[in-house]
């Protein structure tokens, strides 16, 4: 079975919990991504920051993106997948938590990101349909 390590995009970059949301937005633009893992000073994952979080929780709330820290938007424990977990486990995790992107960790080290599209390419069509349905329902 295909593992997260085989289908992930390697070299994912974090935004530091103490960096501003403005810095995160610039980094997202440079990297051409819509989400960044938030890492603490201990290099452990603290959460995920999405472009939607920036729009809704910062800009839409009238806050200054240069004053809000990325770590302030980390909610609870980050949903992750292990590098050696198989595509079925990725599918279950994405469906259960209704997320489209998962940080891939090896131990406590971030080694990549796996997106809904990565899983779709790795799974047979009926499973892909199940994932899309799970992510599309409220």
């Amino acid at each position: 079975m295909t593992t997260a390590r085989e289908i992930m995009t390697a070299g994912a970059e974090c935004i530091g919990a103490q960096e501003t949301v403005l810095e995160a937005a610039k980094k997202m633009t440079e990297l051409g991504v819509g989400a960044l893992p938030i890492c603490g000073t201990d290099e452990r994952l603290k959460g995920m920051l999405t472009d939607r979080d920036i729009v809704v929780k910062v800009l839409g709330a009238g806050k200054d993106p240069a004053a809000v820290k990325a770590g302030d938007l980390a909610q609870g424990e980050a949903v992750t997948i292990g590098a050696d977990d198989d595509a079925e486990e990725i599918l279950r995790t994405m469906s259960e938590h209704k997320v489209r992107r998962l940080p891939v960790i090896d131990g406590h080290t971030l080694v990549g990101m796996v997106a809904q599209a990565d899983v779709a390419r790795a799974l047979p069509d009926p499973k892909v349909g199940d994932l899309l349905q799970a992510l599309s329902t409220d």
Side-chain angles (χ1 to χ4, degrees), residues 13-20 23-25 27 36-40 49 70-71:
E13 292 191 31
C14 280
I15 190 71
Q18 295 304 312
E19 291 183 74
T20 68
E23 291 167 317
K27 190 175 228 182
L36 288 171
I38 302 169
C39 294
L49 178 65

Side-chain angles (χ1 to χ4, degrees), residues 32-110:
V33 299
L36 288 171
I38 302 169
C39 294
T41 53
D42 58 0
E43 290 304 311
R44 288 188 180 223
L45 208 54
K46 302 298 182 197
M48 287 290 292
L49 178 65
T50 67
D51 47 10
R52 186 174 192 285
D53 291 333
I54 294 170
V55 171
V56 173
K57 297 175 183 172
V58 179
L59 300 176
K63 297 179 181 173
D64 179 0
V68 177
K69 302 293 184 205
D72 294 343
L73 299 180
Q75 298 176 336
E77 195 168 320
V79 178
T80 62
I81 197 79
D84 297 316
D85 288 345
D86 64 33
E88 292 282 340
E89 180 62 24
I90 299 168
L91 174 73
R92 276 191 298 276
T93 302
M94 285 183 164
S95 297
E96 180 181 328
H97 295 280
K98 296 206 182 287
V99 294
R100 290 175 166 79
R101 302 172 193 97
L102 285 171
V104 180
I105 57 170
D106 191 351
H108 292 289
T109 305
L110 177 71

